[in-house]
Amino acid sequence: AQSVTQPDIHITVSEGASLELRCNYSYGATPYLFWYVQSPGQGLQLLLKYFSGDTLVQGIKGFEAEFKRSQSSFNLRKPSVHWSDAAEYFCAVAPVRNRDDKIIFGKGTRLHILP
Amino acid sequence: DGGITQSPKYLFRKEGQNVTLSCEQNLNHDAMYWYRQDPGQGLRLIYYSQIVNDFQKGDIAEGYSVSREKKESFPLTVTSAQKNPTAFYLCASSSDPGLSAFFGQGTRLTVV
């Protein structure tokens, strides 16, 4: 079955420290991959996406993610977090060419920032 | 500016009443989605529509209904059959189901 797993429900890092949020997926073929961010009480905003090509993708707000086919992973990274990065982060996958399939979201990782 | 508008932001209803949540987009997107979000549960798909006058059930469609009479609009009705309707509801759209989705700001529904 198709699925997206974000193994960490909560992560706490100090301001200025580096960050890595994990995402693993199970899919029949390499899907499109996304990371979204959600501030409390708000909708989701797209951080970055991977369709094909370079496996290291750059996004907004200084985030990047690396696609590793062998590990079925798409981990999100940031070299130095800011207090404003505190939010919930969702990894998602979407089908390539199969219009009958749906976007699938992970359950999210809530990021806490220590001053 | 193009985007998705959900209204209202907060909605209160008495138990047993039907309520309709509005979702309008001016992005000219074909696909639209409704998600329900509860703490710790991530996003769960209620209904989605890939084209006008057509829609499919998602993972938790029971107690909900939708219509897609116009490309721009995809209203969601929470019926009295929905056992636990209090939640945060998110609407999204995309130009293709395989491409990134744009989200509205959400509607928080509280049933008392």
Side-chain angles (χ1 to χ4, degrees):
Chain A
Q2 301 155 357
S3 65
V4 178
T5 301
Q6 294 180 246
D8 303 306
I9 298 174
H10 294 272
I11 281 190
T12 301
V13 299
S14 297
E15 190 169 17
S18 64
L19 170 70
E20 182 170 32
L21 302 183
R22 296 182 290 165
C23 174
N24 293 94
Y25 66 90
S26 174
Y27 213 82
T30 300
Y32 296 132
L33 296 157
F34 309 90
W35 274 99
Y36 288 85
V37 61
Q38 184 183 33
S39 297
Q42 301 294 316
L44 276 68
Q45 181 184 20
L46 180 69
L47 281 176
L48 47 78
K49 58 190 176 187
Y50 172 78
F51 285 177
S52 64
D54 193 346
T55 56
L56 185 64
V57 294
Q58 303 296 320
I60 63 171
K61 306 185 181 188
F63 285 93
E64 66 178 26
E66 186 173 13
F67 167 59
K68 292 186 177 179
R69 186 190 307 273
S70 61
Q71 298 177 18
S72 297
S73 69
F74 189 55
N75 293 350
L76 181 71
R77 302 195 294 245
K78 188 170 184 177
S80 175
V81 297
H82 186 262
W83 64 266
S84 60
D85 293 325
E88 189 151 24
Y89 292 80
F90 292 92
C91 181
V93 301
V96 177
R97 298 193 194 90
N98 186 348
R99 294 181 64 89
D100 293 330
D101 280 343
K102 308 176 289 289
I103 302 172
I104 302 172
F105 286 87
K107 291 192 183 298
T109 297
R110 185 167 294 280
L111 176 63
H112 306 271
I113 306 294
L114 295 175
Chain B
D1 288 338
I4 299 182
T5 301
Q6 289 187 243
S7 60
K9 189 170 177 64
Y10 298 97
L11 190 54
F12 295 87
R13 278 295 181 270
K14 290 185 177 179
E15 194 171 339
Q17 290 182 333
N18 291 355
V19 60
T20 297
L21 282 60
S22 170
C23 178
E24 303 276 335
Q25 54 100 357
N26 60 4
L27 299 165
N28 200 35
H29 285 171
D30 285 318
M32 296 188 74
Y33 310 83
W34 274 106
Y35 294 90
R36 171 178 170 142
Q37 191 175 24
D38 298 283
Q41 301 244 25
L43 278 71
R44 292 186 290 170
L45 183 63
I46 304 173
Y47 269 97
Y48 64 107
S49 168
Q50 297 177 0
I51 197 168
V52 174
N53 293 323
D54 187 45
F55 48 83
Q56 288 78 42
K57 293 182 179 180
D59 301 316
I60 55 165
E62 185 175 351
Y64 299 97
S65 65
V66 294
S67 63
R68 186 85 187 275
E69 297 176 0
K70 298 187 300 181
K71 189 174 186 177
E72 303 79 19
S73 179
F74 191 42
L76 173 74
T77 297
V78 184
T79 74
S80 56
Q82 168 51 232
K83 296 283 190 283
N84 184 19
T86 294
F88 189 55
Y89 291 87
L90 285 163
C91 179
S93 73
S94 69
S95 56
D96 185 286
L99 298 180
S100 51
F102 289 79
F103 281 82
Q105 292 300 295
T107 293
R108 184 165 299 281
L109 172 64
T110 302
V111 175
V112 296

